[in-house]
Protein backbone atom coordinates (compact mmCIF):
# COMPACT_ATOMS: atom_id res chain seq x y z
CA UNK A 1 0.00 0.00 0.00
CA UNK A 2 1.19 3.53 -0.80
CA UNK A 3 1.33 5.59 2.39
CA UNK A 4 0.89 9.38 2.34
CA UNK A 5 4.04 11.34 3.13
CA UNK A 6 2.21 13.54 5.60
CA UNK A 7 -0.09 12.55 8.49
CA UNK A 8 -2.95 14.67 7.08
CA UNK A 9 -4.82 12.07 5.03
CA UNK A 10 -8.13 13.73 4.10
CA UNK A 11 -9.91 17.08 4.53
CA UNK A 12 -13.61 16.52 3.79
CA UNK A 13 -15.72 19.56 2.90
CA UNK A 14 -19.29 18.30 3.34
CA UNK A 15 -22.78 19.62 2.76
CA UNK A 16 -25.30 17.21 4.30
CA UNK A 17 -28.94 17.73 3.41
CA UNK A 18 -31.71 17.52 6.05
CA UNK A 19 -32.74 14.05 7.20
CA UNK A 20 -29.78 12.37 5.48
CA UNK A 21 -26.37 11.18 6.55
CA UNK A 22 -24.09 8.19 6.93
CA UNK A 23 -25.36 4.89 8.39
CA UNK A 24 -23.22 2.69 10.65
CA UNK A 25 -19.71 2.29 9.24
CA UNK A 26 -16.33 1.45 10.73
CA UNK A 27 -12.94 3.14 11.13
CA UNK A 28 -9.65 1.90 12.51
CA UNK A 29 -6.42 3.72 13.47
CA UNK A 30 -7.44 7.21 12.41
CA UNK A 31 -7.85 10.53 14.25
CA UNK A 32 -11.08 12.11 12.92
CA UNK A 33 -11.89 15.73 13.79
CA UNK A 34 -15.28 17.15 12.74
CA UNK A 35 -15.67 20.94 12.65
CA UNK A 36 -19.34 22.02 12.38
CA UNK A 37 -19.65 25.23 10.31
CA UNK A 38 -23.46 25.32 10.19
CA UNK A 39 -26.26 23.13 11.52
CA UNK A 40 -25.73 19.93 13.48
CA UNK A 41 -24.77 16.25 13.27
CA UNK A 42 -26.02 13.43 15.50
CA UNK A 43 -23.39 10.83 16.36
CA UNK A 44 -23.95 7.29 17.66
CA UNK A 45 -21.34 4.53 18.04
CA UNK A 46 -20.87 0.96 19.22
CA UNK A 47 -18.97 1.90 22.40
CA UNK A 48 -21.93 3.63 24.01
CA UNK A 49 -21.52 7.24 22.87
CA UNK A 50 -24.31 9.31 21.36
CA UNK A 51 -24.86 13.04 21.04
CA UNK A 52 -25.57 16.03 18.84
CA UNK A 53 -22.70 18.23 17.67
CA UNK A 54 -23.79 21.76 16.76
CA UNK A 55 -22.27 24.76 15.04
CA UNK A 56 -19.68 26.15 17.42
CA UNK A 57 -18.50 22.70 18.48
CA UNK A 58 -15.95 20.18 17.25
CA UNK A 59 -15.91 16.40 17.60
CA UNK A 60 -12.71 14.38 18.03
CA UNK A 61 -12.84 10.64 17.50
CA UNK A 62 -9.86 8.30 17.87
CA UNK A 63 -10.81 5.17 15.94
CA UNK A 64 -7.90 3.20 17.44
CA UNK A 65 -8.46 -0.56 17.49
CA UNK A 66 -11.83 -0.06 15.80
CA UNK A 67 -15.07 1.90 16.13
CA UNK A 68 -18.39 1.73 14.29
CA UNK A 69 -20.56 4.85 14.18
CA UNK A 70 -23.26 6.74 12.30
CA UNK A 71 -23.60 10.45 11.51
CA UNK A 72 -26.95 11.99 10.55
CA UNK A 73 -28.33 15.46 10.00
CA UNK A 74 -31.68 15.08 11.75
CA UNK A 75 -32.54 18.78 11.47
CA UNK A 76 -34.52 20.64 8.82
CA UNK A 77 -31.56 22.70 7.55
CA UNK A 78 -28.39 21.88 5.67
CA UNK A 79 -25.33 21.01 7.72
CA UNK A 80 -21.93 22.31 6.59
CA UNK A 81 -18.82 20.77 8.09
CA UNK A 82 -15.14 20.10 7.67
CA UNK A 83 -13.97 16.63 8.63
CA UNK A 84 -10.23 16.11 9.02
CA UNK A 85 -8.56 12.70 9.00
CA UNK A 86 -5.07 12.43 10.54
CA UNK A 87 -3.06 9.21 10.61
CA UNK A 88 -2.04 8.50 14.25
CA UNK A 89 1.43 7.77 15.55
CA UNK A 90 0.06 5.21 18.01
CA UNK A 91 -1.97 2.28 16.75
CA UNK A 92 -4.71 0.08 18.19
CA UNK A 93 -5.40 2.40 21.14
CA UNK A 94 -8.73 2.28 22.97
CA UNK A 95 -11.34 4.08 20.80
CA UNK A 96 -12.80 7.33 22.17
CA UNK A 97 -15.22 10.10 21.21
CA UNK A 98 -15.34 13.65 22.62
CA UNK A 99 -16.78 16.99 21.63
CA UNK A 100 -15.90 20.48 22.85
CA UNK A 101 -17.29 24.00 22.56
CA UNK A 102 -15.36 26.62 20.62
CA UNK A 103 -14.64 29.99 22.13
CA UNK A 104 -16.90 32.79 20.95
CA UNK A 105 -14.44 35.68 20.87
CA UNK A 106 -15.16 38.75 18.70
CA UNK A 107 -11.51 39.83 18.59
CA UNK A 108 -8.61 38.13 16.89
CA UNK A 109 -7.54 34.85 18.38
CA UNK A 110 -5.55 31.72 17.64
CA UNK A 111 -7.26 28.77 19.32
CA UNK A 112 -5.66 25.33 19.55
CA UNK A 113 -8.60 22.96 19.19
CA UNK A 114 -6.74 19.66 19.51
CA UNK A 115 -3.09 18.68 19.51
CA UNK A 116 -0.55 15.94 19.95
CA UNK A 117 2.45 18.28 19.95
CA UNK A 118 4.80 17.79 22.88
CA UNK A 119 4.64 21.47 23.86
CA UNK A 120 0.94 21.11 24.70
CA UNK A 121 1.19 17.83 26.64
CA UNK A 122 0.58 19.48 30.04
CA UNK A 123 -2.28 21.70 28.87
CA UNK A 124 -6.04 21.09 28.90
CA UNK A 125 -6.12 20.96 25.09
CA UNK A 126 -7.90 17.92 23.67
CA UNK A 127 -5.31 15.31 22.73
CA UNK A 128 -4.84 13.66 19.35
CA UNK A 129 -2.37 10.88 18.69
CA UNK A 130 -0.03 12.62 16.22
CA UNK A 131 2.58 15.39 16.20
CA UNK A 132 0.00 17.79 14.76
CA UNK A 133 -2.36 20.54 15.91
CA UNK A 134 -5.81 21.56 14.69
CA UNK A 135 -6.11 25.33 15.00
CA UNK A 136 -8.87 27.91 14.52
CA UNK A 137 -7.80 31.44 13.59
CA UNK A 138 -10.16 34.42 13.51
CA UNK A 139 -9.89 38.15 13.93
CA UNK A 140 -11.29 41.61 13.36
CA UNK A 141 -8.09 43.43 12.43
CA UNK A 142 -6.59 44.27 9.05
CA UNK A 143 -3.99 41.53 9.43
CA UNK A 144 -3.09 38.58 11.63
CA UNK A 145 0.05 36.45 11.76
CA UNK A 146 0.59 32.81 12.69
CA UNK A 147 4.12 31.59 13.45
CA UNK A 148 5.27 28.15 12.32
CA UNK A 149 7.99 26.31 14.22
CA UNK A 150 11.01 25.07 12.27
CA UNK A 151 10.34 22.28 9.73
CA UNK A 152 6.59 22.39 10.29
CA UNK A 153 4.01 22.56 7.52
CA UNK A 154 0.39 23.77 7.50
CA UNK A 155 -2.78 23.04 5.58
CA UNK A 156 -5.26 25.90 5.73
CA UNK A 157 -8.93 26.14 4.71
CA UNK A 158 -10.87 29.41 4.77
CA UNK A 159 -14.25 28.79 6.40
CA UNK A 160 -15.90 31.94 5.04
CA UNK A 161 -15.09 35.31 3.55
CA UNK A 162 -12.01 36.30 1.55
CA UNK A 163 -8.44 36.99 2.65
CA UNK A 164 -4.92 37.21 1.24
CA UNK A 165 -1.88 35.14 2.20
CA UNK A 166 1.29 36.90 1.03
CA UNK A 167 -0.82 38.83 -1.54
CA UNK A 168 -2.40 35.63 -2.93
CA UNK A 169 -6.18 35.77 -2.75
CA UNK A 170 -7.89 32.98 -0.78
CA UNK A 171 -11.64 32.55 -1.21
CA UNK A 172 -14.20 30.77 0.94
CA UNK A 173 -13.50 27.01 1.22
CA UNK A 174 -10.19 27.24 -0.66
CA UNK A 175 -7.50 24.89 0.64
CA UNK A 176 -3.83 25.90 0.81
CA UNK A 177 -0.79 23.78 1.64
CA UNK A 178 2.01 25.89 3.16
CA UNK A 179 5.63 24.82 3.44
CA UNK A 180 8.92 26.66 4.02
CA UNK A 181 7.55 29.70 5.88
CA UNK A 182 8.36 30.79 9.42
CA UNK A 183 5.22 32.94 9.60
CA UNK A 184 1.90 33.02 7.74
CA UNK A 185 0.58 36.54 7.12
CA UNK A 186 -3.20 36.87 6.74
CA UNK A 187 -4.53 40.17 5.33
CA UNK A 188 -8.00 41.47 4.55
CA UNK A 189 -6.52 43.49 1.69
CA UNK A 190 -2.75 43.98 1.40
CA UNK A 191 -3.16 46.61 -1.33
CA UNK A 192 -5.00 49.15 0.82
CA UNK A 193 -3.26 51.11 3.55
CA UNK A 194 -6.47 52.32 5.14
CA UNK A 195 -9.88 50.69 5.42
CA UNK A 196 -13.17 51.79 6.91
CA UNK A 197 -14.61 49.77 9.76
CA UNK A 198 -16.91 46.81 9.28
CA UNK A 199 -14.60 44.24 7.71
CA UNK A 200 -13.32 41.32 9.70
CA UNK A 201 -11.54 38.05 9.15
CA UNK A 202 -14.49 36.14 10.56
CA UNK A 203 -13.50 32.59 11.44
CA UNK A 204 -10.47 32.39 9.21
CA UNK A 205 -10.05 28.68 9.35
CA UNK A 206 -9.71 25.40 10.85
CA UNK A 207 -6.13 24.57 9.94
CA UNK A 208 -3.68 21.78 10.63
CA UNK A 209 -0.07 22.42 11.69
CA UNK A 210 2.05 19.29 11.39
CA UNK A 211 5.55 17.90 10.92
CA UNK A 212 5.79 15.77 7.76
CA UNK A 213 6.85 12.16 8.16
CA UNK A 214 9.09 12.24 5.08
CA UNK A 215 11.50 14.86 3.80
CA UNK A 216 10.78 13.65 0.28
CA UNK A 217 7.89 16.11 0.29
CA UNK A 218 9.49 19.07 -1.52
CA UNK A 219 6.46 21.18 -2.46
CA UNK A 220 7.19 24.80 -1.57
CA UNK A 221 5.38 28.11 -1.51
CA UNK A 222 1.58 27.88 -1.55
CA UNK A 223 0.42 25.28 -4.09
CA UNK A 224 -3.32 24.82 -4.62
CA UNK A 225 -4.95 21.49 -3.89
CA UNK A 226 -7.69 19.96 -6.06
CA UNK A 227 -11.24 19.23 -4.98
CA UNK A 228 -12.58 15.84 -6.03
CA UNK A 229 -15.70 13.83 -5.25
CA UNK A 230 -15.27 10.88 -2.90
CA UNK A 231 -16.42 7.93 -5.00
CA UNK A 232 -16.67 5.74 -1.92
CA UNK A 233 -19.73 7.74 -0.91
CA UNK A 234 -21.27 7.99 -4.39
CA UNK A 235 -24.35 6.09 -3.19
CA UNK A 236 -25.25 9.26 -1.30
CA UNK A 237 -24.96 11.39 -4.43
CA UNK A 238 -26.71 14.69 -3.94
CA UNK A 239 -26.48 14.63 -0.15
CA UNK A 240 -22.87 15.74 0.32
CA UNK A 241 -20.56 18.37 -1.10
CA UNK A 242 -17.04 18.17 -2.51
CA UNK A 243 -13.99 16.85 -0.71
CA UNK A 244 -10.55 18.42 -0.53
CA UNK A 245 -7.70 15.92 -0.63
CA UNK A 246 -4.10 16.81 0.24
Amino acid sequence: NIKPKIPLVVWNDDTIKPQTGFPMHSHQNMEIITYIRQGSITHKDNIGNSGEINSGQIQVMSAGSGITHSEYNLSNEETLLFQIWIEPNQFDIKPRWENINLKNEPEESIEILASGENKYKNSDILKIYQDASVIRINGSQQSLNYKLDKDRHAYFVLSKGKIFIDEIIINERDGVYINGLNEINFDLDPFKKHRKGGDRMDDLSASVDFRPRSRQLTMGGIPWLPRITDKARAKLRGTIGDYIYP
Side-chain angles (χ1 to χ4, degrees), residues 28-44:
Q28 187 174 10
N29 290 323
M30 192 66 65
E31 300 293 287
I32 301 175
I33 299 97
T34 304
Y35 176 94
I36 306 296
R37 302 172 56 222
Q38 173 188 302
S40 63
I41 281 291
T42 298
H43 165 100
K44 187 174 182 178

Side-chain angles (χ1 to χ4, degrees), residues 152-169:
R152 296 193 71 85
H153 300 199
Y155 185 64
F156 169 88
V157 178
L158 183 65
S159 180
K160 56 185 175 181
K162 178 182 72 174
I163 61 165
F164 292 80
I165 298 179
D166 290 340
E167 300 186 0
I168 298 175
I169 190 169

Side-chain angles (χ1 to χ4, degrees), residues 137-139 144 156-159 163 186 201-206:
I137 304 170
N138 61 280
L144 191 65
F156 169 88
V157 178
L158 183 65
S159 180
I163 61 165
F186 303 101
M201 291 179 283
D202 191 7
D203 193 6
L204 284 184
S205 76

Side-chain angles (χ1 to χ4, degrees), residues 6 17 59-60 82 87 116 181-182 194 200 223 227:
I6 57 177
K17 291 185 177 179
Q59 166 189 280
V60 177
F82 294 144
E87 187 178 72
L181 297 179
N182 295 322
H194 304 285
R200 66 178 275 115
R227 295 166 181 261

